[in-house]
Amino acid sequence: MKFKISVACMIFVTLLCLAGAWTARAAGPAPKTDPYSLEAGRMVDLLQSGHGARRARAAEALGYMRYYPAETALITALTDDSADVRRSAALSLGWCGGRDALSPLVQRLEDDDWNVRQSAWVALNSLTGMQHPFDALAEPDLRTSQANTWRT
C-alpha cells in the first residue's frame, strides 16, 4: 500500500511540474535579471537618450560586450547627430553586427566626418572578412568610387 501511495504522489508531482512548465511557456520568456543583460539593457536605453558623449560611450560599451541584440539600436545610432555616436556605433557593429548592418555601414562610407567613414570601413572589413581599399581622407569622387566597390 505504501508503494502505491508513493507512485501516486510521484505521478501527481510530475503532472504539477508539467503544468507549471506549460503555463510558464505560455506566459512568455522570463525577464532577464542577470547582470550582463541588465547592464546591456541600460546601455541600449542610454544609446537612445541623453547627452552625445553618453550615447557614444553606450554604443562603445555595447560593442565591447558583444551584445548582438543591440544591432538594431546601433544601426539607428549610425544616423545620430553626433559624429562620436556614429563612429562608436559603426565600430561596435563591427564587433556585434550582422548582415543587416552591412548596407547602413556602406552608407556611412559617405559620412561628412572622416572618423565615421574610417570606422565604417573597419567594421565592414571585420564583418565581411574582405578588404576593399578605402581612403577616408580622399577626395569625394575617389571615396564614392571606393564606396561603390563595397556596394557591389
Side-chain angles (χ1 to χ4, degrees):
M1 187 72 173
K2 274 186 169 181
F3 180 71
K4 288 183 182 179
I5 292 173
S6 297
V7 171
C9 287
M10 288 175 51
I11 291 172
F12 180 72
V13 169
T14 303
L15 289 175
L16 282 177
C17 290
L18 289 174
W22 180 79
T23 55
R25 193 175 309 138
K32 303 232 177 181
T33 55
D34 61 285
Y36 173 81
S37 297
L38 290 173
E39 185 63 15
R42 193 173 76 81
M43 290 298 113
V44 170
D45 290 343
L46 276 175
L47 183 61
Q48 299 168 354
S49 63
H51 189 265
R54 282 192 190 134
R55 292 193 311 273
R57 285 193 304 271
E60 185 177 16
L62 289 166
Y64 286 141
M65 294 172 76
R66 307 295 197 269
Y67 190 64
Y68 294 94
E71 180 182 24
T72 303
L74 289 167
I75 289 171
T76 302
L78 287 174
T79 59
D80 196 274
D81 292 337
S82 168
D84 288 338
V85 174
R86 294 192 309 271
R87 179 189 53 77
S88 293
L91 288 173
S92 289
L93 284 168
W95 294 320
C96 65
R99 182 174 292 231
D100 292 341
L102 295 178
S103 180
L105 284 168
V106 169
Q107 290 173 359
R108 289 299 98 199
L109 293 175
E110 302 284 343
D111 197 273
D112 293 335
D113 187 271
W114 78 270
N115 277 317
V116 176
R117 294 191 298 263
Q118 185 69 23
S119 299
W121 178 72
V122 168
L124 285 167
N125 287 327
S126 177
L127 288 175
T128 65
M130 297 188 290
Q131 282 193 327
H132 297 298
F134 183 77
D135 182 358
L137 295 172
E139 295 297 320
D141 291 340
L142 178 58
R143 283 196 325 258
T144 300
S145 170
Q146 292 172 337
N148 285 336
T149 303
W150 278 103
R151 283 186 186 90
T152 344

